[in-house]
Amino acid sequence: MLTIGQTTFQSRLLLGTGKYPDVTTQQQAVEASGADILTFSVRRMDIFEASQPNFLEALDLSQYHLLPNTAGAKTAEEAVRLAKLARASGLCDMVKVEVIGCDKTLLPDPIETLRASEELLKEGFTVLPYTSDDLLLARRLEELGCHAIMPAASPIGSGQGILNPLALSFIIEQMTVPVIVDAGIGSPTDVAYAMELGADAVLLNSAVAHANDPVKMARAMKLAVEAGRLGFEAGRIEKKRYATASSPETGMSR
């Protein structure tokens, strides 16, 4: 189980709700994923106008915990405003802080992310900041009191998987709050690898929504999370330079 702040979740897979070809596929993919936490961009919703299209309308939201994110924010002030809008609508007081610092790579701005996280913690939010795989930044965010750290595997939507497993492993080893690998995941292999490294959870969107069969891929991601976590808990064998016979070499008949 995954515990963030005061809440415990059954699934270690967090799923985004955007980019699906239609709401039926979205609904079926969400169900197949087994995710407890669904994330969405506050900017994509007119949360105060019921007559406007709602891309979450096909989902039974009573079954899920919503994780609004501040995608599109480029300053701490914008991120804080979006988080407050989400809370004012009664959606959730847990927020993924996302402050983009580069339009081409969509990598996060570390300074603005720190500023936004600090302000939202003062406001009583459960804060999950999206970061690069920088250990020192992760430490600073944890010291502020953030409830989870969300380092990117690779640029958002790129599907490149985990580019720097060593840097990611440093964060996983040193954090006392959950580490949720976010962004750049492309396949179940990437998910299983992140979980085998010891990540507490994985958040993804495009890898499912843009798959040829999003529903089947959602199930594959669910199983990858479970397999990777089991592998981490079981402990892999050491890598060796030379072969070791799998069968006993003593007491054998000749």
Side-chain angles (χ1 to χ4, degrees):
M1 293 190 289
L2 171 68
T3 300
I4 302 174
Q6 301 299 315
T7 308
T8 297
F9 306 94
Q10 296 296 319
S11 173
R12 293 179 180 272
L13 176 61
L14 289 69
L15 193 66
T17 54
K19 302 180 179 180
Y20 289 89
D22 54 72
V23 293
T24 299
T25 303
Q26 178 203 53
Q27 178 188 28
Q28 293 175 349
V30 168
E31 290 176 356
S33 75
D36 290 331
I37 302 175
L38 304 180
T39 185
F40 66 95
S41 169
V42 177
R43 281 196 165 188
R44 290 190 63 212
M45 294 187 67
D46 191 340
I47 51 184
F48 294 107
E49 179 51 65
S51 64
Q52 296 301 307
N54 182 348
F55 61 91
L56 298 177
E57 62 187 4
L59 302 173
D60 178 3
L61 298 183
S62 65
Q63 297 184 24
Y64 304 101
H65 292 263
L66 295 179
L67 176 62
N69 66 64
T70 63
K74 294 186 177 180
T75 67
E77 287 74 20
E78 287 180 305
V80 170
R81 181 178 63 82
L82 290 169
K84 288 182 176 179
L85 278 173
R87 183 161 71 178
S89 69
L91 291 174
C92 186
D93 66 356
M94 185 168 67
V95 64
K96 174 187 167 185
V97 176
E98 184 174 322
V99 186
I100 298 302
C102 173
D103 289 335
K104 188 172 184 178
T105 64
L106 298 182
L107 290 174
D109 184 320
I111 306 302
E112 296 300 300
T113 299
L114 277 167
R115 291 181 58 228
S117 297
E118 185 171 23
E119 180 62 28
L120 290 170
L121 287 165
K122 290 177 183 175
E123 296 280 346
F125 282 86
T126 299
V127 176
L128 291 69
Y130 165 63
T131 77
S132 64
D133 56 11
D134 185 286
L135 172 62
L136 299 185
L137 174 61
R139 277 184 181 169
R140 289 287 303 276
L141 289 164
E142 185 182 51
E143 289 166 2
L144 280 179
C146 290
H147 300 82
I149 306 296
M150 305 183 74
S154 53
I156 293 174
S158 70
Q160 296 183 49
I162 299 173
L163 294 182
N164 194 339
L166 181 63
L168 194 58
S169 68
F170 289 155
I171 294 175
I172 291 169
E173 287 170 7
Q174 296 196 25
M175 294 299 104
T176 59
V177 297
V179 176
I180 302 169
V181 175
D182 181 13
I185 294 294
S187 72
T189 300
D190 302 332
V191 170
Y193 189 22
M195 298 304 294
E196 279 192 87
L197 287 173
D200 295 280
V202 171
L203 187 152
L204 54 86
N205 189 160
S206 298
V208 168
H210 286 176
N212 292 335
D213 186 334
V215 179
K216 190 172 288 185
M217 184 60 79
R219 176 164 168 72
M221 295 300 189
K222 173 187 177 182
L223 297 175
V225 166
E226 294 173 0
R229 182 66 185 182
L230 285 172
F232 169 72
E233 292 176 348
R236 62 158 293 141
I237 63 170
E238 292 183 10
K239 293 182 179 179
K240 298 178 180 177
R241 184 175 178 83
Y242 297 107
T244 303
S246 299
S247 302
E249 295 180 299
T250 58
M252 304 290 288
S253 60
R254 296 179 179 277

